Amino acid sequence: DIHIQPAGYTLRVRSRCSADMSSSSDASVSLAPSGRMAGFENSGISLLERREVENYLIKRKDRPLIIEKFKDRKTKGTGPLLKKEVEEDRILVISKRGWIPIFQGGTGRLMTEAHIIELTNTETMNPNEIVLKFRAGSVTVGSCSKVNEIVAAIKKTFIFNLPGSPDTRDFEIKTEQIGPCYGFSRTYRCISHYMGVPVRDDICYLVDNIYATNGIKELNFSDWLEPPTAPQAKAMIDALKYNQWFESLVISGEGASKVGNDAIMMVANALQNNKTISKIVLERVGAREAWVFGDTWQGLALNNYLTIINLANNQIEDRGATSLSNEYLANICHPLQALNISNCGITRTGLGTFFKMIKENKWVGKNIKFLAVSGNRLEDGADDLVQFVFAAPSLRQLEVSNANITWGKLRPEMNMKIKESSLTRLDLSGNKLSQGEHLTALAAFLADCCPGLTDLDMADTTFPATPFTLSTVFQSVPFLTKLSLAENELDEEGILSLVDVLAPAGGATPSALPNLRYIDLSYNLPHNPNPLLVKKTSNAPSVKALSHLLSPEAHKLCPIESFKFQGGSKGRLKGEILPLVQSLKRNSSLTELDIRGHRAGDELAASLGQLISVNSTLRVISWDENYTTLVGLENFAMGLRRNHTLERMPMPVLDIADYLRLPENSQGMQLLKERLKVTMLTATGIGSASGAERVATIQERTTELIAEFQIILIQNTLQTFKESLKKAANLKKRNEYSSSSSTSTGNSISTSTSSLGPPSDHMMSLSPPAMASPQPVRDTPASPEPQPQSQPQQEEELPQPEQV
């Protein structure tokens, strides 16, 4: 019997016939020598019937595996006297691509057709009869002498079209028969033919060559330059039902994501049978009604392997959130680690049900590590959020940005005290607050719910940066290593207060955040919207304070390693940022610097070139949108040529595009050429007018510099990698030397004491000081300690590893 369960598609083969079931498993699908389609030999059909069958197969671009004529029994007439059984001739065809058409005997007219995907059950009651059961009905193939061949053909077409299905493991398929990525492209072709969707060869090529060669197990619809259309996406999603290769599904982006409601239902249906996918990303998929249907969430709940779900930027709304809570979160019985429902139009009502159901289901509440509800209207439902945080001991990251939080509801109750908390990252950006009750509630929430917090994002919250508020909040998170206060309009007073709290002058008082490594202060200094009417104030005090924050003296109090200070429409420093860059020449701890968007001109590029020529710790620099021209790039290149540690630098493409956009004969382009000649005449290695004239155009010289930058950065990265390998090899040799030295010393001590009888406890403790292990204290008379043997001083003379 062949039995295929509708839900699990389990295929079991059991033959009650004595003949070999694989006798015709290698049926020919090639053309006969006469040029006609092969497979019609010994079929017993007429020329008319053969012509109709061939036309059908040619239309399907298919070939037959088996063609068999059989008798179809039917009852005709009405009444007990007129009823009689009649046998009619029929022709059964099983094709290579899985089509199973049935033709009328004599005329060859197509009566019905089905596909191997629709086959649910096959029964063989006797050696001459087989019943094919499909979703829409069944066909009894009677008076047939090739039952075994039919069974073998079904097996062969199933293996060819669905090779990666878990149900084919009973067939003992060879690896080369399955194909790349568990035969995904063959399954995709089969389902596309079944759905009537044109097959895209670029999809099959990418999967068979790029995915398979590099071991990529994420099916991302954005990997194709032309994203799959909705029908093509449905075929790819349905193919995952029979695939065991991919571990994650990503449908995200503008073009590739508009798959609609039907595709979401197909995802839920495919995941009922798939046992390898553990992560799905469905962003902006253009669905709305699918989130309300219970079948969608019930299908996901039946999958016990799904641990990461991202549904951001969809129109789930309150109805969908309620269905998600009642049909999915309430029914899953496996750990869920990450869930993202940001920007889904959910209000306080839907989020209240959501948090309640997460807290009640221990499989979710006790195991979830990441939760994002940003962009939804939490409002006064913040108390439900607090209760969820108290009931989620494994939660590590929580994102609640732009949620219109009612800060008063964020304060935990007096009797609530968290027992265990793993929360290390909290995003509250975009939620406006003010002094007084809001800051008190925030400080209480941080102290009671996330005492071990290391990453806090308070960007665009109108954070009042006064000494009191800063101290109040920072005292609640003493282990903070990463802080973002971008877009908070801190102005000069706020910057001075922040620096005074983080790195007090003179070091008389400790820093409020002694472990801080990363700080983001972008878009904070005041911006003058109308300089003709309002006199611009100087930002020199703020720049001086920031220079002190990044000074070697302040590093002992607040060891900043990454400093982000972008400018934009909300504030630009222009030339005032130059003292900050020049002060970093004394810095030996900063590894990342981001000063984009200040429009400081070529002077900033020259200052950065001077900085990296003497700095050996910076690894990343970003400085685009500073009105840099080719002259600035030349000055920066002189410093970069002397640098051996900078590894990553996004090219200033916006600045380059600005000056390359100038017309060739414009005044600005001519001025740029004159400045470039002066710069190259004074540059090292040029020194003559002929050197300046060797560059034909501005664009050519720009291309040369960008290529040179890339080469230097790659060389620095490789050099850092070589040094890391060299250090690792030296450390390994030192460890091996220490182990061998300890072993040889122990053997010599045992040999010297063996002639004196059993060794005493004191003698047993003899070993080189570096390898001595602690011994228990004994109440024995004191005796002079023997001198330990000195270790040979050979650590500095160890052989160096070969160059990489």
Side-chain angles (χ1 to χ4, degrees), residues 90-167:
R90 298 287 185 265
I91 302 172
L92 172 69
V93 179
I94 299 178
S95 71
K96 186 177 180 179
R97 289 182 173 176
W99 289 104
I100 307 177
I102 296 178
F103 300 88
Q104 186 180 36
T107 63
R109 181 175 59 87
L110 178 65
M111 299 187 63
T112 184
E113 64 177 345
H115 198 272
I116 190 69
I117 295 177
E118 301 175 358
L119 189 65
T120 60
N121 190 12
T122 302
E123 298 179 355
T124 54
M125 304 307 299
N126 57 69
N128 297 322
E129 184 176 291
I130 183 172
V131 180
L132 306 180
K133 294 185 177 181
F134 301 94
R135 297 172 186 171
S138 62
V139 175
T140 301
V141 181
S143 301
C144 174
S145 61
K146 297 182 179 180
V147 171
N148 290 339
E149 286 81 350
I150 294 175
V151 172
I154 292 175
K155 172 184 173 182
K156 185 172 183 178
T157 188
F158 191 89
I159 292 174
F160 179 80
N161 293 286
L162 309 173
S165 174
D167 309 315

Side-chain angles (χ1 to χ4, degrees), residues 253-312:
E254 294 297 333
S257 59
K258 305 300 182 181
V259 294
N261 295 295
D262 294 340
I264 300 304
M265 299 295 293
M266 295 184 69
V267 169
N269 186 29
L271 291 180
Q272 293 184 35
N273 306 310
N274 190 288
K275 298 182 179 180
T276 58
I277 291 182
S278 60
K279 171 186 174 182
I280 59 171
V281 178
L282 305 174
E283 290 192 23
R284 297 184 296 273
V285 295
R288 186 172 185 177
E289 290 79 8
W291 309 117
V292 183
F293 298 149
D295 294 342
T296 303
W297 304 112
Q298 290 173 7
L300 296 179
L302 292 175
N303 185 296
N304 293 327
Y305 305 91
L306 196 60
T307 58
I308 301 175
I309 301 177
N310 184 353
L311 305 176

Side-chain angles (χ1 to χ4, degrees), residues 718-731 801-802 804:
L718 291 177
Q719 183 62 30
T720 303
F721 182 66
K722 290 179 181 180
E723 292 176 356
S724 301
L725 290 179
K726 185 177 180 179
K727 291 179 180 178
N730 286 338
L731 180 61
E802 297 180 358
V804 178

